Amino acid sequence: MEDNKIELKSINDLIKYEFFIPSYQRGYRWNKTQVRDPGSLF
């Protein structure tokens, strides 16, 4: 059995992956502006 490891990843490391979170598991949807500029959330 493979050991699970936790390690920090940069955004650049994660860009090559595809993530899908079903709508029923998220209470908020980002619009195009927020996807391009996550800093606009704050």
Side-chain angles (χ1 to χ4, degrees), residues 2-41:
E2 187 176 325
D3 291 332
N4 291 327
K5 290 192 293 184
I6 296 174
E7 58 185 69
L8 293 176
K9 298 265 187 195
S10 72
I11 296 295
N12 286 333
D13 291 337
L14 297 175
I15 265 220
K16 60 186 168 190
Y17 298 101
E18 286 188 29
F19 295 94
F20 176 77
I21 301 170
S23 60
Y24 64 86
Q25 290 186 340
R26 56 187 154 155
Y28 181 79
R29 285 190 174 191
W30 287 21
N31 63 36
K32 288 181 182 180
T33 303
Q34 293 161 330
V35 170
R36 287 188 203 120
D37 181 17
S40 69
L41 294 171

